[in-house]
Amino acid sequence: MKRLLSLILFLATIGVVTWMLRPSPEAAPGLDKDAVEDVQRWRQSLVDEHPQVVLLGNSMLGHGVNAIHFAMRTGLPTVKMWDGGVASAWRYLMLKNVIAPSPGKPEVVVIFFKDQYLTEPAFRVDGNYKARLDALRQPSEPLLDELAYGKERRDPLANLVSECWPLDRQRAVVKPTVEDWIKKQVGYGLHEKGKEAVNAAIGRVFADNNLNTELFTKAQLEAMSTKTEDDRDFPTLIRNSFVPSDIKIAKAAGLRLIYVRIKRVQDAQAQEDGGTSYDNPYMKQYMIDLRAYLSSHDVPLFDFTTDIQLKVSDYADGDHLNEAGRLRFTAILAQALQRELPEPRSTQSPYADLSDLADPIVLSQPFKPRPPFGWIARLPEWKQYASNASDSYRSVLEVLEDGVPLGPANSFISEIASQGSGRFSHWLDAVYFSASDNSDPNTNGRVYSIRFRMPE
Amino acid sequence: MIFTSFVYVYFLVFVAAAYWAAYRLPHAKTWQNILLLIASYVFYGYVHPWFCYLIAGSTILDYCCGLGMAKSPARRRWLLLASLLGNLGMLGVFKYFNFFADNIVIAMHSLGFEMDPVVVRLFLPVGISFYTFQTLSYTIDIYRGEMEPRRNFIDFALFVAFFPQLVAGPIERATHFLPQIESERKWNTDVFVSAWPLIIRGYLKKLVIADNVSVYADKVYMLDHPTALLLAAGTLAFAVQILADFSAYTDIARGTARLLGFELMENFDSPYLAISPSDFWRRWHISFSTWIRDYIYIPLGGSRVKTALAGALVVLTSMGLSGLWHGAAWHFVAWGIYHAILLIVYRQLGYSGRWKPITRLGFLLSWSLMFFFTLVGWAIFRTPSMTWLVRAAGNMSVGLSGDSLLVSATITALVALYSLPLIVSLILSRRESKTGPVSAIAYALAVCLIVLFAQEHGQDFIYFQF
């Protein structure tokens, strides 16, 4: 009798907890609001712009290619879809769930990757990256669960538990909520600031440059997919990656797939030191194998790591090009890809009206301040050429001070205001800028004008 | 195969069902043992089948040595030596070869002789330290005349390979466990039911506590220059992690064994409540510390040695070897020697054995001091290398402000949060029978916590590496 009572109590408690923590019917629990908005925006951009080309990748693409110049050079309407730090799982879900099913799907999808990360399915799938993947995924994503999260997630028992027991689906909500509450209490207790202060402090203390990578644990190394000798079997690598599925999805949707390996500063440095690229023998063999594999599926691969046109001076940091490098690489890319791209749908080149804006246009005063050093001039008529949340490196607008170009372009608005020194950004319907000497452009007597940089 | 994988769930359900189905067959015990032996080899060789050759080799060697000692008492010493050489040789090759080879090269270099390092890429078979010690206890006990050798090879092979405790203990003694294997197992509903709280507690400790706090310990021990406060917070996280992780394995092992009608020994007795080093070693990894006591410390003279210096040397040797057992690295040896020094100092001060403070304040002070010493020990144990620890200690700032304070406080608060189930479980286990109504509610909540807080990518059990 006592045993039966215990069993009833056990089951009743589980039932009560499950009921108390049941998912809200109107909200999709656990989804990051910003990540969901990004996905909606990308879906909408396909419908609105109906591009012929989609460029897909992470911040290396974001910093590396200007979509407007690419479109003007190729004559093809182009949409650039990128997110910082994302890797092959994100590209797979974007292709499968956003691009392929879209009524405005393109004819060509260019996938950008670096080094061997194309065949690293479990790279960058946790933490903040998981929130972005969750916003993209369908309820059932067996391949993602298998390749990115390990085979356990694909276990039928796990699936059954997840489907039948709502509590399992609340993990994504309850755990972060509790941990955030703790951070908030500590943050307010010690600094009178919330969890943001704690998260920022954690970010600073455990920043990459403070960590000794030689001390990574086995699990961390595995998470970073460091190769062992056994893993260097290319057929196994490719079979356990999203590449075969990417190709299959593209073929089924009638999309032409192109892979582009982006050059990093270490490759440029190796060239300046007399080499051809930074690749070691393993990486060279990897690229030979990858090219052969993609070629057998009629998928072109462009490897720009040995391209000699991009120099060290074209880079802002290890992986990212600066403004000049971005426009240079855009030209190199457009030329290289030309023979793989389709004919333009329209005889009129995209952004044809932009060429009318190549000559400087004087900005009219007064400029609205954004203290201490930032100033704002409204440009609602050129909003379509401005940088935005989807592509913060979209604009090719230049700000001139007495005819001399200011920069860097596409700076953060907060940095324009706080640091000035000529930084500017063409963001949505305004240009945010600063004088070269942080003086007041309303009173310093200089002429401020804008023009749009045209492909050379 | 690991306890936290779904394949283990299928495996256990199948094995338990088949095992109790065989209960009604004629010669049930034999069939059950054969089934368990096959299951144990499947469990052990699931990822790397070649592991089975090693355990089979060890089993055959000790089975033959045991029988040989009974048949030819004059050769007992040689047969014991063969068993020791065979088992410790295998352990030495797989676990310590590169460690010793590296250190010989360094030593020769310091003497002015240059040697090419000999690096052999050997994969350490999980659990080899555990079953090697378990099977060694069998031959040593026979040599000492404390037990008779077993003629039934299946029973003996099952004793060595019994899957619930094969990979990370408890290290069972032949005198305790072989009789259970040799006797009939009768279905007992009470025993079967009592297994589940242990299993749930084990998964709670592993998936909710150990895996979640390990993130903080790992991060701190990856820093180039941690502040003292960060190192303290990271070490506290590791202290919780290692206890939760290791005792979780023991709980699941004991629970699984109970499902099959066996009783394994308890391995932990609230070790962080210890008030002295000797008290700590009576509570921490009990099956291992008693093994060291019975097969190394006492044979070396134990507490019977005549001088304090000899006594100290015996303790240093025993604890140094105990440290080395944990891993082929100097910081493990240093951890063992650190505990030896604690034992020696406490003994010299008269606080050894079963000493207990008289007053509550004395108890609180001695507990606090021992907990601090335990944390220092874990810092030595967890450090990536002695060089890192010395360098970190040498350049360390206290970090009582700014980011260091904020992050340390957050880590401590999160560790405290994840430790709550451990504390509640301890209180519950002391206040109520394990199957009472309050326990039923507590274990239901534990199941909910597992579902809500388990890391999606759990880590291996720490003691797998030893």
Side-chain angles (χ1 to χ4, degrees):
Chain A
M1 191 62 194
K2 191 181 168 188
R3 202 179 289 151
L4 183 66
L5 177 68
S6 292
L7 182 64
I8 292 168
L9 271 172
F10 179 83
L11 295 174
T13 307
I14 288 178
V16 168
V17 173
T18 305
W19 180 81
M20 286 170 68
L21 294 175
R22 67 195 182 282
S24 161
E26 66 272 6
L31 290 185
D32 182 279
K33 200 176 149 214
D34 292 340
V36 171
E37 281 177 6
D38 283 342
V39 175
Q40 285 167 348
R41 201 165 42 235
W42 286 318
R43 287 203 169 104
Q44 197 57 46
S45 70
L46 290 172
V47 175
D48 293 346
E49 300 182 36
H50 197 191
Q52 280 186 276
V53 178
V54 164
L55 310 175
L56 193 62
N58 62 15
S59 62
M60 290 178 77
L61 165 67
H63 289 252
V65 180
N66 182 274
I68 292 177
H69 272 204
F70 184 85
M72 293 174 84
R73 286 180 180 277
T74 58
L76 302 170
T78 302
V79 165
K80 189 169 87 176
M81 297 178 170
W82 67 279
D83 205 350
V86 293
S88 64
W90 180 88
R91 290 190 297 255
Y92 162 73
L93 290 181
M94 281 292 286
L95 188 66
K96 174 175 165 286
N97 297 338
V98 175
I99 300 169
S102 173
K105 70 183 170 200
E107 292 167 54
V108 175
V109 176
V110 187
I111 292 183
F112 292 76
F113 70 99
K114 74 172 178 183
D115 300 345
Q116 82 282 17
Y117 290 94
L118 198 61
T119 48
E120 299 281 2
F123 185 66
R124 303 247 164 110
V125 296
D126 285 318
N128 290 335
Y129 300 108
K130 186 172 184 304
R132 299 181 216 181
L133 297 180
D134 286 346
L136 276 168
R137 65 175 294 158
Q138 303 284 342
S140 173
E141 292 284 1
L143 190 68
L144 176 80
D145 291 337
E146 180 189 352
L147 296 183
Y149 297 109
K151 287 178 182 168
E152 296 300 340
R153 288 273 298 172
R154 240 188 142 189
D155 190 279
L157 186 60
N159 285 341
L160 189 70
V161 170
S162 188
E163 281 166 25
C164 301
W165 196 4
L167 202 63
D168 185 63
R169 299 197 290 278
Q170 288 296 81
R171 181 182 305 146
V173 178
V174 174
K175 192 177 160 191
T177 306
V178 172
E179 291 190 350
D180 282 352
W181 183 82
I182 292 281
K183 287 177 184 173
K184 195 173 155 189
Q185 301 310 312
V186 174
Y188 276 115
L190 291 175
H191 274 214
E192 295 185 346
K193 289 175 185 170
K195 66 168 180 159
E196 290 76 17
V198 174
N199 283 334
I202 289 171
R204 284 191 294 272
V205 168
F206 299 115
D208 285 350
N209 56 349
N210 291 337
L211 301 180
N212 185 341
T213 50
E214 288 173 9
L215 304 179
F216 281 0
T217 62
K218 184 178 154 223
Q220 287 162 331
L221 288 173
E222 279 173 3
M224 292 168 69
S225 299
T226 299
K227 299 288 96 183
T228 65
E229 290 296 328
D230 294 340
D231 292 331
R232 294 186 177 186
D233 166 34
F234 188 80
T236 307
L237 278 180
I238 204 82
R239 194 170 51 247
N240 292 329
S241 77
F242 291 110
V243 177
S245 302
D246 288 347
I247 295 170
K248 210 167 153 185
I249 292 163
K251 279 196 175 150
L255 304 169
R256 177 129 170 86
L257 214 53
I258 298 173
Y259 283 95
V260 169
R261 183 184 173 204
I262 300 188
K263 183 177 179 175
R264 302 165 75 182
V265 75
Q266 59 194 24
D267 300 307
Q269 187 64 58
Q271 287 167 354
E272 293 185 11
D273 294 341
T276 52
S277 78
Y278 188 71
D279 282 356
N280 57 24
Y282 163 66
M283 201 59 221
K284 283 180 180 159
Q285 186 57 47
Y286 175 92
M287 287 309 295
I288 292 168
D289 293 338
L290 180 63
R291 189 179 297 282
Y293 174 81
L294 292 175
S295 174
S296 70
H297 289 83
D298 194 25
V299 175
L301 165 67
F302 292 86
D303 181 359
F304 288 97
T305 55
T306 52
D307 180 273
I308 55 168
Q309 298 173 75
L310 286 175
K311 309 289 184 196
V312 171
S313 57
D314 288 320
Y315 285 82
D317 56 46
D319 283 349
H320 304 120
L321 290 163
N322 56 30
E323 184 76 10
R326 174 159 55 250
L327 298 184
R328 183 166 297 128
F329 180 57
T330 304
I332 297 167
L333 180 74
Q335 189 182 12
L337 263 54
Q338 198 73 54
R339 61 188 150 84
E340 301 292 346
L341 297 175
E343 289 298 315
R345 264 197 308 253
S346 164
T347 51
Q348 190 185 7
S349 173
Y351 310 109
D353 49 343
L354 203 58
S355 53
D356 300 336
L357 304 171
D359 295 325
I361 302 163
V362 175
L363 292 172
S364 54
Q365 294 184 6
F367 306 121
K368 193 177 159 194
R370 191 176 174 98
F373 306 126
W375 301 89
I376 305 168
R378 293 283 161 204
L379 299 172
E381 61 273 41
W382 296 310
K383 187 179 173 184
Q384 58 172 318
Y385 307 123
S387 299
N388 52 45
S390 294
D391 184 2
S392 46
Y393 297 94
R394 176 179 167 81
S395 170
V396 286
L397 178 138
E398 273 188 311
V399 178
L400 310 169
E401 186 181 59
D402 282 342
V404 179
L406 293 172
N410 293 306
S411 294
F412 289 121
I413 292 170
S414 57
E415 285 184 5
I416 297 167
S418 62
Q419 298 177 41
S421 302
R423 288 176 172 78
F424 71 88
S425 174
H426 180 202
W427 188 266
L428 298 177
D429 62 350
V431 59
Y432 297 77
F433 70 103
S434 54
S436 58
D437 59 355
N438 287 341
S439 57
D440 180 352
N442 287 314
T443 58
N444 64 12
R446 296 169 205 161
V447 176
Y448 289 88
S449 53
I450 57 163
R451 72 178 174 203
F452 287 86
R453 291 182 70 167
M454 296 296 119
E456 292 160 8
Chain B
M1 201 180 296
I2 55 172
F3 285 166
T4 49
S5 65
F6 275 98
V7 73
Y8 178 71
V9 176
Y10 301 129
F11 169 84
L12 182 59
V13 168
F14 174 79
V15 170
Y19 177 83
W20 287 115
Y23 165 57
R24 296 191 183 279
L25 293 175
H27 310 293
K29 187 205 78 180
T30 306
W31 288 114
Q32 285 178 320
N33 286 354
I34 289 171
L35 173 76
L36 286 183
L37 183 61
I38 293 169
S40 297
Y41 272 69
V42 169
F43 176 89
Y44 193 51
Y46 183 72
V47 178
H48 298 287
W50 65 272
F51 284 5
C52 295
Y53 293 117
L54 294 179
I55 197 169
S58 189
T59 305
I60 292 166
L61 174 69
D62 286 313
Y63 176 75
C64 294
C65 287
L67 286 180
M69 282 188 218
K71 200 174 174 185
S72 312
R75 293 184 186 163
R76 282 165 63 239
R77 190 179 292 268
W78 290 107
L79 288 165
L80 176 67
L81 194 64
S83 170
L84 288 171
L85 285 175
N87 285 296
L88 296 178
M90 203 156 67
L91 191 62
V93 168
F94 282 98
K95 191 163 177 176
Y96 300 109
F97 181 84
N98 287 335
F99 174 67
F100 286 120
D102 288 348
N103 281 286
I104 287 170
V105 171
I106 293 166
M108 295 305 277
H109 174 77
S110 64
L111 294 172
F113 300 100
E114 292 304 326
M115 285 176 67
D116 287 333
V118 181
V119 179
V120 181
R121 289 176 63 87
L122 289 173
F123 189 77
L124 178 66
V126 291
I128 189 168
S129 307
F130 286 90
Y131 69 72
T132 300
F133 270 38
Q134 181 156 317
T135 185
L136 271 179
S137 77
Y138 170 79
T139 44
I140 296 171
D141 284 354
I142 293 172
Y143 173 80
R144 289 173 170 175
E146 290 174 6
M147 68 175 292
E148 290 298 314
R150 269 27 186 201
R151 296 193 176 280
N152 188 321
F153 181 74
I154 301 290
D155 288 359
F156 176 70
L158 180 58
F159 158 70
V160 179
F162 185 57
F163 74 86
Q165 45 87 243
L166 170 61
V167 175
I171 302 168
E172 282 292 332
R173 299 296 178 81
T175 45
H176 174 247
F177 196 49
L178 264 170
Q180 293 188 56
I181 291 173
E182 290 163 343
S183 59
E184 300 286 338
R185 268 85 63 185
K186 293 198 171 74
W187 172 264
N188 182 327
T189 309
D190 286 336
V191 173
F192 190 82
V193 168
S194 73
W196 292 104
L198 272 173
I199 293 173
I200 292 172
R201 204 168 66 189
Y203 281 110
L204 177 78
K205 286 180 186 174
K206 171 62 182 159
L207 298 173
V208 177
I209 303 171
D211 284 356
N212 279 305
V213 298
S214 72
V215 176
Y216 312 114
D218 288 349
K219 282 251 177 188
V220 168
Y221 278 91
M222 268 169 42
L223 287 172
D224 261 335
H225 303 291
T227 63
L229 211 55
L230 277 168
L231 190 61
T235 306
L236 181 69
F238 181 68
V240 173
Q241 179 198 356
I242 195 165
L243 173 62
D245 190 284
F246 194 16
S247 65
Y249 191 93
T250 301
D251 286 346
I252 299 169
R254 293 182 69 222
T256 306
R258 269 191 201 173
L259 289 180
L260 303 168
F262 295 93
E263 191 64 40
L264 299 180
M265 69 184 292
E266 178 54 280
N267 227 358
F268 297 90
D269 179 18
S270 311
Y272 294 156
L273 294 183
I275 50 166
S276 69
S278 49
D279 190 22
F280 176 81
W281 284 102
R282 276 194 299 274
R283 294 161 175 269
W284 176 268
H285 202 174
I286 297 165
S287 65
F288 174 71
S289 57
T290 51
W291 198 102
I292 292 285
R293 182 197 65 197
D294 294 346
Y295 298 107
I296 296 179
Y297 177 71
I298 291 176
L300 286 175
S303 55
R304 290 170 286 116
V305 290
K306 289 175 183 166
T307 64
L309 179 65
L313 282 175
V314 169
V315 175
L316 278 168
T317 309
S318 304
M319 295 307 292
L321 288 172
S322 153
L324 191 62
W325 177 88
H326 285 82
W330 284 115
H331 64 100
F332 290 123
V333 179
W335 174 74
I337 289 173
Y338 167 79
H339 270 280
I341 292 168
L342 286 181
L343 285 162
I344 293 164
V345 171
Y346 267 70
R347 181 191 285 178
Q348 289 302 314
L349 295 172
Y351 302 137
S352 61
R354 305 262 170 191
W355 167 80
K356 270 188 183 171
I358 302 163
T359 62
R360 284 194 175 190
L361 180 65
F363 192 90
L364 188 67
L365 285 174
S366 50
W367 171 78
S368 306
L369 195 62
M370 189 56 219
F371 187 62
F372 171 75
F373 287 145
T374 307
L375 288 181
V376 174
W378 288 136
I380 299 170
F381 190 94
R382 176 60 183 80
T383 183
S385 68
M386 285 309 288
T387 319
W388 183 91
L389 194 62
V390 171
R391 199 185 61 209
N395 301 325
M396 198 176 277
S397 60
V398 181
L400 271 173
S401 61
D403 287 350
S404 165
L405 176 66
L406 203 54
V407 174
S408 306
T410 306
I411 290 176
T412 308
L414 286 166
V415 169
L417 169 82
Y418 282 117
S419 303
L420 275 179
L422 209 58
I423 296 163
V424 172
S425 154
L426 178 69
I427 294 167
L428 273 178
S429 67
R430 293 191 170 195
R431 285 187 180 273
E432 204 210 8
S433 79
K434 289 185 173 63
T435 51
V438 178
S439 287
I441 295 170
Y443 285 110
L445 291 174
V447 170
C448 295
L449 285 176
I450 292 168
V451 172
L452 289 169
F453 284 88
Q455 290 265 29
E456 287 205 20
H457 301 293
Q459 295 193 3
D460 283 352
F461 286 90
I462 293 179
Y463 266 67
F464 275 17
Q465 63 189 294
F466 306 140

